[in-house]
Amino acid sequence: MGTLVGHVAPGFAFLILGLWHLFNHIKLHIKNPNSYISPTWFPTSKFKYLELYLIMLATTASISMELFIGPARHQPFDTDGTIPSYHLHNFEHALISMAFFAYAASSIILDKIENQAKLALTQFLASMAFFQQLLLFHLHSADHMGPEGQYHLLLQVLVFVSLSTTLLGIPMQKSFLVSFVRSLSIFFQGLWLMVMGYMLWTPSLIAKGCFMNSEEGHKVVRCSDEESLHRAVSLVNILFSWLVIVVAVFGVSLYLVLTKYYGANKVRYFSLGIEDEEREDVEKLSDDVESQKRNLVGKPKSFIHVGQKTLSSVDIER
């Protein structure tokens, strides 16, 4: 990270992963609303572990970029074998990628083992990766001050949501809402990383009163005075708040579109036994109604007739 590409590339990976999960969770819930169980990853029809292998490939590329391709001497160590201070963040970013690599690799192994706890264990490994991400972003060695610090602080909020919903998914495997929020938070992580990359490393998009400064081989955004700093931070908050609304509306809209598409193809099935019983009940109800009608029509005549007979008897006696 630390560059435009370093934020946009992993951000795009998170965005695609979140969108893939969001689509599949909605589709699975629409087709199986009563038997829905939230999976941690989704197999594809032609290649079952494609998602997990792509995660392993992406994290391997990230680790290579951070430790071997990105550094000037193509290795992160100093001449005496120690880690220089300006490469500490490279190791931190690499450890985040390693955690997601471990999750993907372990998920493949767990899937090949017949065990009832494998789904919960996979969820646990995913939560471990998000915890690693949250921890290292929170305790970051880089000087995240000013606008950059605010971007990373709000990113931690999104990572915390992903971590919380992944942990909740262990005891609440049948909750669609937990899976929906988790997928949307992963999507939002990717979007926010991409926005961060463009807003912090595109000179024309830097807030007024702030500038790009080169420090320890990295370019960071600094502001000329306190007023410019507060303005820049407030603009970051406004941008994030605006994206919260956009992402929420996008998620619900996608749900409605997929519900209309996949819900229209659902066929309603009835049990023949239940249907026959219902038909018999309807027929009985119809017979009762007809019987009541006949009684209502016949009773007044009978009453009058009886009344007439009674009156006739009295008159005779008189």
Side-chain angles (χ1 to χ4, degrees):
M1 293 188 176
T3 61
L4 187 149
V5 177
H7 284 79
V8 172
F12 182 74
F14 273 104
L15 185 141
I16 294 298
L17 180 63
L19 188 60
W20 167 255
H21 278 213
L22 192 63
F23 171 82
N24 282 284
H25 278 300
I26 294 173
K27 179 181 175 182
L28 183 62
H29 183 260
I30 292 170
K31 291 189 171 183
N32 307 281
N34 297 324
S35 60
Y36 171 82
I37 295 179
S38 169
T40 314
W41 56 275
F42 290 91
T44 55
S45 56
K46 294 184 178 180
F47 195 42
K48 183 177 183 180
Y49 301 115
L50 180 62
E51 176 189 330
L52 299 175
Y53 278 125
L54 287 176
I55 292 175
M56 293 170 66
L57 180 64
T59 52
T60 300
S62 176
I63 294 168
S64 302
M65 182 63 68
E66 291 289 348
L67 299 182
F68 306 109
I69 300 174
R73 291 184 291 112
H74 301 297
Q75 56 91 11
F77 298 101
D78 211 339
T79 54
D80 58 355
T82 60
I83 303 174
S85 58
Y86 55 86
H87 277 168
L88 289 172
H89 66 280
N90 295 87
F91 278 89
E92 292 165 350
H93 297 157
L95 285 170
I96 294 173
S97 299
M98 287 178 187
F100 283 102
F101 182 93
Y103 149 73
S106 300
S107 296
I108 295 174
I109 297 171
L110 285 170
D111 187 66
K112 295 179 180 295
I113 300 173
E114 291 299 328
N115 192 302
Q116 293 182 350
K118 64 181 181 181
L119 179 58
L121 289 173
T122 306
Q123 294 271 37
F124 164 74
L125 290 169
S127 63
M128 176 273 301
F130 285 124
F131 174 74
Q132 178 89 303
Q133 184 186 16
L134 178 62
L135 180 69
L136 291 176
F137 275 141
H138 184 70
L139 303 176
H140 211 298
S141 60
D143 182 18
H144 283 164
M145 301 297 291
E148 186 177 357
Q150 194 67 11
Y151 275 107
H152 280 85
L153 178 63
L154 296 173
L155 176 62
Q156 291 174 47
V157 173
L158 298 176
V159 178
F160 178 75
V161 174
S162 299
L163 170 61
S164 302
T165 49
T166 305
L167 287 172
L168 285 172
I170 297 175
M172 302 172 65
Q173 295 178 359
K174 296 184 178 181
S175 173
F176 166 72
L177 188 59
V178 170
S179 304
F180 180 83
V181 174
R182 180 175 68 242
S183 303
L184 206 59
S185 69
I186 295 172
F187 172 83
F188 201 170
Q189 273 194 63
L191 179 63
W192 189 242
L193 279 168
M194 294 176 69
V195 169
M196 188 190 310
Y198 282 108
M199 297 300 291
L200 289 175
W201 283 277
T202 304
S204 60
L205 297 177
I206 296 175
K208 185 168 62 177
C210 300
F211 56 92
M212 192 174 290
N213 190 39
S214 182
E215 299 176 8
E216 295 183 348
H218 300 281
K219 292 182 178 180
V220 296
V221 176
R222 299 297 183 193
C223 297
S224 56
D225 51 35
E226 281 295 317
E227 183 179 354
S228 299
L229 175 60
H230 287 303
R231 181 179 181 276
V233 170
S234 297
L235 288 174
V236 175
N237 296 335
I238 291 172
L239 178 60
F240 183 83
S241 300
W242 181 73
L243 287 177
V244 167
I245 299 172
V246 171
V247 171
V249 172
F250 168 77
V252 175
S253 300
L254 182 63
Y255 177 83
L256 294 175
V257 170
L258 294 179
T259 300
K260 184 177 181 181
Y261 180 77
Y262 289 104
N265 298 327
K266 290 180 67 177
V267 179
R268 189 177 178 186
Y269 295 95
F270 297 93
S271 173
L272 292 176
I274 295 174
E275 189 176 2
D276 292 340
E277 290 177 2
E278 290 178 351
R279 187 182 294 110
E280 290 176 2
D281 292 339
V282 171
E283 291 175 355
K284 288 180 181 179
L285 181 60
S286 300
D287 294 339
D288 292 340
V289 172
E290 292 297 328
S291 176
Q292 289 175 8
K293 286 181 178 179
R294 287 194 297 269
N295 291 335
L296 287 174
V297 172
K299 279 182 179 178
K301 292 182 178 179
S302 301
F303 178 76
I304 295 169
H305 183 67
V306 171
Q308 290 174 348
K309 284 185 177 181
T310 305
L311 289 172
S312 301
S313 301
V314 174
D315 292 338
I316 291 170
E317 290 177 359
R318 287 179 182 178

